Amino acid sequence: MTTMDLRGPISKIRGRQIVLIDEVWAQLALTHGVTLETPRDPAVDVLLRVPGWPEAVAYDVKVFGSPMAPTTLAQIHSRHRPRSAQSRLLLFVPAATETLLEKAAEHGVSVLRAPKRAGEPIEGMLVSPDGATLRLRADPDPERQPRRRGRIPWGTYAVAFEVLAADARPVRQRELADKFGISQPRVSQILRELHPVATKGPDASEVDRFALAQWLVDEYPRDPRVSTSWMTLVPTNLAVVSVHQHLRVAGVEHAVSGQVAADWLAPWARPQTLWMWTRSAVDMTAAAATPVSPRDATLTVAVADDPYLLASARQVGTHASPVLAPWRVWVDLVHQGHHDAADVLLSALLEGKLR
């Protein structure tokens, strides 16, 4: 296995393989909101500021030109002697498998797959000194959707939400195919797969909304790809305005969900927390927010793996920020344990007041 130390954010060439380290820093900043800072300690290779982490983290960086086994990672960790008392180990590898990342998390080691060409997305994981992790994944391609065997494809969930919102209205397969960028035969297959849970009886055409809604609560993934937690310095109804403005200026696609979205869709009570889905992680300190633990957060900024999530957003009333589709908001509320808001929103949905 070949290895080298990296003394700063520059590109390296090993034989015929070009490790585009500069590309990594650019993608971390533009896609994930992770920025480079200038370390005061000259022994520190890289100092990274990660959204939601209370302090910038110093890393000792090593680049490897050949694949790494989990056992090798453990050996590297055991031999590592940090050049700075506060620094952590960050490894660049040609491939970052789930098994390798699990071993890395166990040892508190950060691992990134370095791109071989410009524009190739980075993947991997950053680990903070207190064990917090930031998972980095390439944005899923809605048309190809490479998924693990046995996991439900995102297109299935997208069609399920659309069927749920349609209620008694006919669902046209061509419209669904055009809307979600998948083939009509695939839409037909998804509808057949959903038929046992989405209809009242094996031969019925009427949608069983309760059964389909419960299926989505049970099956739709609860955990975001990345989430950061913040305490806002103003009431939630004012915080959503400043957060929206901050994200709009930053050019980051976003949509409101959770308690605030529920109150906008079906007023129920004064929201205490704000949940914002975004295309990428963003530092919210400029929006009058302070990083805190999830338990103390009044604002959560989350990045989803679902490529169809933000596409469902729409404007509601005079509110500037877009809002997720109502049934998606409802699933979020149930997953987050906001059952009072979820019940009020569910009643409005079942009564036909929202679609």
Side-chain angles (χ1 to χ4, degrees), residues 27 36 86 105 124 146 191 202 216 218 238 243 270 281 308 310 321-322:
Q27 282 196 38
L36 280 168
Q86 303 300 320
L191 292 173
L216 281 165
D218 293 340
L238 298 178
V243 169
R270 188 170 184 174
Y308 303 101
L310 291 175
S321 181

Side-chain angles (χ1 to χ4, degrees), residues 141-307:
D141 184 336
E143 295 187 2
R144 290 184 294 172
Q145 297 184 32
R147 309 291 294 166
R148 290 184 188 177
R149 181 175 298 176
R151 187 175 296 186
I152 298 172
W154 293 117
T156 299
Y157 293 122
V159 171
F161 276 114
E162 199 71 13
V163 170
L164 193 56
D167 189 15
R169 293 180 289 112
V171 178
R172 300 184 183 279
Q173 294 184 18
R174 171 48 58 190
E175 291 179 1
L176 291 177
D178 292 342
K179 182 173 184 176
F180 300 125
I182 55 181
S183 67
Q184 187 169 342
R186 175 58 185 143
V187 171
S188 178
Q189 180 185 11
I190 291 172
L191 292 173
R192 289 196 302 271
E193 293 169 352
L194 291 174
H195 192 273
V197 294
T199 56
K200 298 178 178 180
D203 300 321
S205 58
E206 183 180 357
V207 175
D208 188 336
R209 304 181 82 190
F210 287 103
L212 184 55
Q214 187 59 51
W215 180 84
L216 281 165
V217 166
D218 293 340
E219 299 295 335
Y220 189 80
R222 295 169 179 257
D223 298 326
R225 180 199 306 181
V226 178
S227 65
T228 57
S229 306
W230 309 84
M231 175 73 73
T232 56
L233 305 180
V234 296
T236 305
N237 62 323
L238 298 178
V240 66
V241 177
S242 61
V243 169
H244 163 66
Q245 290 294 339
H246 179 63
L247 293 171
R248 183 183 62 80
V249 171
V252 177
E253 187 180 2
H254 59 281
V256 177
S257 189
Q259 290 186 349
V260 171
D263 186 54
W264 289 358
L265 293 165
W268 60 282
R270 188 170 184 174
Q272 301 300 309
T273 61
L274 168 61
W275 186 284
M276 188 74 77
W277 288 105
T278 61
R279 180 64 64 190
S280 58
V282 180
D283 187 347
M284 301 304 298
T285 53
T290 304
V292 294
S293 68
R295 179 183 302 176
D296 299 324
T298 58
L299 164 66
T300 300
V301 178
V303 181
D305 277 320
D306 185 350

